[in-house]
Structures are given as C-alpha cells and as structure tokens.
Amino acid sequence: MSDRDSPANLSENIAAYDLRREELEIDHFGKWVVFYDRQLAGIYVDFQDAARDAVERFDLGPYLIKQVGEPSVMSLPASVQFRPIHARD
C-alpha cells in the first residue's frame, strides 16, 4: 500500500481543517467537526455525537475532532480523549 492509498495522518487532517477554518467559523461556530482523510466528514452539535460517529465510521482513525472556533492547542485526537462506555473497564 502506498502513502496515497492510506488515510491521512493527524497533521494532514489538521491542515485540512485549517484550510476551511474561516468558512467553518462563519457557518458553524461552536459546533464539532470531524475530518478524516483530509475531508470534512461531519458537523455535530456536541462532542459525544461527533466522537461516536467517528469511531463507528473510522475506527481508531486517524481523524480530527475539533470544536469550531476553539484554539488549536485544545484539539486532541478523538482516539485519545474518547472511549465509548462499552470499552471502559
């Protein structure tokens, strides 16, 4: 498998978000977005919905879940900060 055949890494998803940041802040400020493979994969009202959908669709990623309008230093990969309830114990 070549690098182009594999999903984008986290830094590429962050770069994809940054390219669309201004547009997203105008239209979706405060909402949560998921970027996967350099593409906007979804827009959500809350983190739990964004994380749940990202895990279901993309497993462990890499993907970016970010609240639109929040500073970049606040973003963590969802695989680090979200574990479904059934995965805890």
Side-chain angles (χ1 to χ4, degrees), residues 10-11 13-22 24-25 28-36 39-51 54 63-79 81-82:
L10 182 59
S11 63
N13 288 316
I14 292 169
Y17 170 83
D18 287 340
L19 287 173
R20 298 197 55 191
R21 182 184 54 78
E22 188 173 317
L24 290 167
E25 287 180 355
H28 304 289
F29 193 87
K31 293 186 179 172
W32 293 85
V33 293
V34 173
F35 275 78
Y36 176 77
Q39 301 295 316
L40 176 62
I43 300 170
Y44 307 86
V45 173
D46 61 43
F47 173 80
Q48 293 295 350
D49 288 341
Y63 45 81
L64 172 71
I65 298 177
K66 172 126 178 68
Q67 188 171 27
V68 177
E70 288 297 312
S72 292
V73 295
M74 299 301 287
S75 293
L76 292 174
S79 57
Q81 61 178 321
F82 176 78

